[in-house]
Amino acid sequence: MDAGTHQKILDLSASVGQLLKTKRLLLTTAESCTGGGVAQAITDIPGSSEWFDCGFITYSNAAKNELLNISEALLAQHGAVSEEIAAAMAEGALANSSADVALSTTGIAGPGGAVPGKPVGTVCFGWVVGDVTHTERLVFSGDRAAVRAQSVLHALQGLQRYLENRS
């Protein structure tokens, strides 16, 4: 990750942290393709224990099932890289933590793993803020590190957007 992207992620993490602190909310994360990158960015900010509860790194389908209560049937129906699973991951993280808001990432960072309709760089995001679950599917370009960095950045940007719109 280049220095500019790293600084953007740190700045965004601090901004999200301030929003969470001001609104007295705790965050949890459920990550697959980012491998804990969002949680690391958040915990890089001093004082993050005031607004970050925990993170789940659920790389395998078995972990998604065991830690986030995502049914094997849902995984089989939609595949791990889908908006449906991103939503279930965020909701499962919330249900299995003391947090108030959640975000999730699931995708194909590459270089392998592409399947029909889901090229390398496909990442699905989930955010639960208030009683609303938001999802999004994007396709990023670049190598594995670039896809993961863009995913961390986008996950935090989405969280910031939904927090700012929450009263």
Side-chain angles (χ1 to χ4, degrees):
M1 176 183 334
D2 65 63
T5 301
H6 182 68
Q7 191 57 53
K8 268 188 195 173
I9 289 171
L10 284 177
D11 292 346
L12 191 53
S13 294
S15 177
V16 164
Q18 191 55 51
L19 274 169
L20 288 162
K21 187 175 174 181
T22 299
K23 294 178 182 283
R24 297 175 190 240
L25 298 171
L26 273 177
L27 172 66
T28 185
T29 59
E31 301 179 69
S32 186
C33 65
T34 49
V38 175
Q40 180 180 352
I42 288 163
T43 58
D44 278 346
I45 306 304
S48 57
S49 60
E50 293 181 54
W51 45 270
F52 183 65
D53 183 45
C54 64
F56 298 86
I57 302 171
T58 55
Y59 213 68
S60 69
N61 284 352
K64 289 173 181 67
N65 174 262
E66 292 166 19
L67 299 174
L68 302 175
N69 307 326
I70 299 173
S71 73
E72 292 175 13
L74 191 66
L75 284 159
Q77 181 181 359
H78 298 287
V81 180
S82 63
E83 289 184 67
E84 291 83 359
I85 296 303
M89 287 173 67
E91 291 165 356
L94 211 53
N96 289 289
S97 70
S98 297
D100 308 294
V101 297
L103 72 77
S104 66
T105 62
T106 183
I108 305 165
V115 295
K118 296 177 186 177
V120 168
T122 302
V123 181
C124 296
F125 300 88
W127 299 273
V128 179
V129 178
D131 57 359
V132 180
T133 301
H134 308 272
T135 62
E136 192 171 1
R137 177 185 189 262
L138 296 176
V139 179
F140 297 111
S141 60
D143 64 10
R144 183 176 180 82
V147 168
R148 290 173 67 155
Q150 291 170 84
S151 298
V152 169
L153 190 62
H154 189 75
L156 290 168
Q157 287 169 334
L159 181 59
Q160 181 179 41
R161 180 174 65 245
Y162 294 121
L163 286 171
E164 287 172 345
N165 291 333
R166 183 179 191 263
S167 50

